[in-house]
């Protein structure tokens, strides 16, 4: 996203006389990812404060767009009926199903709301802050996204082919250009790619923490390599950060293959996230209800289970949506949605890895709770499950925890986590 938006500024500046090749697009993407890795490795001490800056930048972009578009199109704004009632189906799907496929856009847009979860081990009062962070992320995305969509629909060209076929390569660049001209477009698109860059940095930081958590539990290939924490760089998972950078660079090569491959990668993010969110919810309400210990943020026994089932149904619905070709029921090789192929490879590979090797040694996430805090019912449920939890550790003692420099408390079973300088 950053690469395309950055290069669209160059295209606008040259009045559409420059067309970046796939190699140039990937080169900008690779430079961006490497720069993300450098920043994530060196700014760990202020990353929390930078998140506030990132949020402010997002709001500046939203307000700038909401103000600039109506002002720039003051004499040529669209009617309310067009904004709220007009529909256009540019696919060969029936209009009803095309409407359902349009849900993929907001599903993708809110897909980063769980970033605060991955950073929870470095957050103060995480049991309250993280749930509120999730609700604020989704709520603000809904509210301000709705306002933004109204502004865009009210000011864009009603001939959608002019927008989708823009010589600038980005529909949003064309919408800006029609409203505020070349100079205004350069300013707004520059702000847009800066915000996109900051968002990418946040995603890398969150992904590295999640990858480190998996490697800590031995759930990833080469877990022993990615597990150490770097003391020199501020007690951060340095190897996990650069592992994510390397993986992103490899996946970015899909942009050099075909747009269909890149589109499949984006759809994979939807399907993969939905599966990752839905699995623990389903496991909890089907098998783990007796072991479930509500935290300080809880919707109550009356609403918790219905909300959980609603979430599962919606997540499964989103997975199925992400598998469909968006253009119509008779796709060509170039327009086919290969998400189902990539998903089968990723999910099948994970199952094969577990079946052939990981099942022999992986017993699940490390127990990081204090056994003294367990109720009798929870302790009985854990014993019934066959889990082994040592109540007394010869190194740290019963009920004692050790704290490492990331600012989080590690349970006794995490003593294998090493710190490297």
């Amino acid at each position: 996203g950053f690469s395309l938006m950055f290069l669209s500024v160059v295209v606008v500046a040259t009045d559409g006389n420059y067309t970046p090749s796939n190699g140039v697009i990937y080169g900008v993407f690779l430079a961006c990812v490497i720069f993300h890795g450098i920043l994530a490795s060196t700014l760990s001490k202020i990353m929390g404060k930078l998140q506030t800056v990132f949020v402010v930048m997002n709001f500046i972009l939203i307000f700038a767009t909401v103000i600039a578009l109506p002002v720039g199109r003051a004499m040529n704004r669209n009617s309310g009926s067009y904004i709220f009632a007009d529909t256009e189906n540019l696919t060969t799907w029936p209009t009803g199903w095309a409407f359902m496929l349009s849900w993929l856009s907001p599903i993708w847009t809110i897909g980063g709301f769980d970033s605060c979860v991955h950073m929870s081990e470095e957050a103060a009062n995480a049991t309250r802050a993280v749930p509120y962070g999730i609700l604020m992320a989704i709520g603000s995305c809904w509210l301000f996204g709705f306002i933004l969509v109204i502004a865009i629909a009210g000011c864009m060209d009603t001939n959608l082919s002019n927008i989708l076929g823009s010589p600038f390569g980005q529909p949003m660049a064309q919408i800006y250009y029609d409203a505020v001209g070349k100079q205004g477009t350069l300013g707004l698109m520059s702000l847009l790619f800066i915000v996109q860059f900051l968002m990418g940095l946040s995603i890398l930081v969150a992904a590295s923490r999640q990858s480190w958590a998996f490697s800590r539990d031995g759930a990833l290939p080469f877990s022993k390599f990615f597990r150490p924490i770097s003391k020199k760089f501020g007690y951060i998972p340095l190897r996990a950060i650069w592992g994510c950078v390397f993986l992103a660079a490899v996946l970015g090569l899909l942009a050099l293959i075909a747009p269909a491959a890149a589109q499949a990668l984006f759809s994979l993010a939807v399907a993969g996230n939905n599966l990752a969110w839905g699995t623990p919810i389903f496991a909890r309400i089907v098998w783990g209800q007796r072991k479930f210990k509500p935290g300080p943020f809880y919707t109550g026994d009356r609403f918790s289970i219905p909300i959980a089932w609603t979430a599962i149904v919606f997540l499964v619905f989103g997975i199925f949506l992400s598998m469909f070709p968006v253009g119509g029921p008779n796709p060509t090789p170039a327009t086919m949605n290969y998400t189902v192929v990539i998903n089968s490879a990723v999910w099948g590979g994970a199952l094969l890895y577990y079946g052939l090797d990981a099942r022999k040694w992986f017993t699940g996430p490390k127990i990081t709770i204090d056994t003294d805090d367990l109720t009798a019912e929870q302790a009985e449920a854990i014993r019934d499950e066959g889990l082994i939890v040592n109540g007394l550790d010869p190194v740290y003692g019963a009920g004692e925890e050790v704290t490492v420099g990331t600012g989080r408390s590690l349970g006794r079973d995490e003593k294998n986590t090493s710190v490297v300088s």
Side-chain angles (χ1 to χ4, degrees):
F2 165 82
S3 179
L4 293 174
M5 293 178 185
F6 177 84
L7 290 172
S8 71
V9 173
V10 179
V11 177
V12 172
T14 59
D15 297 316
N17 295 319
Y18 170 72
T19 302
S21 64
N22 282 342
V24 172
I25 294 173
Y26 180 75
V28 175
F29 165 79
L30 184 61
C32 172
V33 170
I34 292 175
F35 196 27
H36 280 160
I38 295 173
L39 294 178
S41 302
T42 56
L43 300 180
S44 60
K45 294 182 179 180
I46 61 172
M47 189 58 66
K49 295 180 180 179
L50 286 178
Q51 296 301 315
T52 302
V53 177
F54 299 169
V55 171
V56 171
M57 291 294 292
N58 272 276
F59 279 113
I60 291 175
L61 175 62
I62 291 172
F63 291 133
T65 300
V66 170
I67 294 173
L69 289 184
V71 171
R73 298 276 288 187
M75 304 302 296
N76 197 21
R77 288 198 290 259
N78 300 322
S79 65
S81 61
Y82 177 83
I83 296 173
F84 295 104
D86 186 75
T87 60
E88 293 194 39
N89 183 5
L90 302 182
T91 74
T92 57
W93 289 109
T95 300
W97 184 244
F99 170 77
M100 302 308 295
L101 287 174
S102 69
W103 286 38
L104 283 172
S105 179
I107 289 175
W108 166 256
T109 301
I110 67 171
F113 72 85
D114 66 331
S115 295
C116 54
V117 177
H118 309 317
M119 298 294 292
S120 61
E121 294 177 325
E122 301 176 44
N125 195 20
T127 54
R128 289 186 179 274
V130 170
Y132 280 117
I134 292 174
L135 291 179
M136 286 296 295
I138 296 178
S140 59
C141 185
W142 174 83
L143 175 61
F144 293 103
F146 185 63
I147 295 173
L148 193 59
V149 167
I150 292 175
I152 293 173
C155 301
M156 70 182 188
D157 190 342
T158 56
N159 187 346
L160 299 185
S161 61
N162 293 339
I163 299 175
L164 298 177
S166 171
F168 305 138
Q170 283 289 298
M172 199 64 214
Q174 186 64 52
I175 294 173
Y176 280 143
Y177 192 88
D178 293 338
V180 296
K182 179 179 178 179
Q183 298 302 320
T185 301
L186 291 175
L188 289 170
M189 286 302 296
S190 296
L191 181 59
L192 184 56
F193 79 65
I194 291 173
V195 170
Q196 191 79 2
F197 178 87
L198 299 177
M199 183 184 71
L201 177 58
S202 297
I203 291 176
L204 174 62
V205 172
S208 66
R209 270 52 175 184
Q210 185 178 29
S211 300
W212 175 82
F214 283 136
S215 65
R216 175 199 62 197
D217 297 337
L220 288 181
F222 311 108
S223 288
K224 291 184 180 179
F225 175 80
F226 291 110
R227 183 181 301 159
I229 295 294
S230 173
K231 178 180 178 181
K232 181 178 180 180
F233 285 86
Y235 294 95
I236 61 171
L238 184 67
R239 295 182 182 181
I241 290 174
W242 286 98
C244 291
V245 168
F246 175 77
L247 182 60
V250 172
L251 292 176
L253 289 173
L254 286 174
L256 296 179
I257 299 175
Q263 182 62 41
L265 182 62
F266 289 120
S267 297
L268 173 64
V270 173
N273 274 341
N274 282 15
L275 180 69
W277 298 328
T279 299
I281 298 174
F282 181 79
R284 173 226 150 178
I285 60 179
V286 175
W287 299 292
Q289 188 62 26
R290 287 200 304 136
K291 291 180 290 185
F292 176 67
K293 180 181 179 181
F297 189 96
Y298 184 50
T299 55
D301 295 336
R302 173 180 295 182
F303 298 105
S304 179
I305 300 301
I307 290 175
W309 280 115
T310 302
I312 291 172
V313 170
F314 180 76
L315 292 173
V316 172
F317 172 67
I319 291 175
F320 279 108
L321 279 184
S322 68
M323 305 291 183
F324 277 83
V326 295
N330 299 303
T332 65
T335 60
M336 174 62 183
N337 186 347
Y338 294 97
T339 306
V340 63
V341 179
I342 297 181
N343 267 303
S344 298
V346 173
W347 297 349
L351 290 173
L352 185 64
Y353 171 59
Y354 178 79
L356 295 179
D357 182 52
R359 67 179 178 82
K360 301 175 183 178
W361 50 265
F362 182 66
T363 58
K366 303 298 183 183
I367 300 298
T368 60
I369 59 175
D370 192 332
T371 54
D372 293 340
D373 291 336
L374 293 175
T375 66
E377 183 180 7
Q378 290 169 337
E380 181 183 357
I382 289 177
R383 285 193 295 269
D384 292 342
E385 193 73 17
L387 299 176
I388 300 176
V389 182
N390 296 325
L392 177 65
D393 187 275
V395 178
Y396 301 113
E400 188 178 351
E401 297 177 341
V402 58
T403 300
V404 298
T406 55
R408 58 181 293 273
S409 294
L410 297 180
R412 296 178 298 277
D413 287 337
E414 293 185 70
K415 58 183 179 294
N416 292 328
T417 298
S418 56
V419 178
V420 296
S421 59

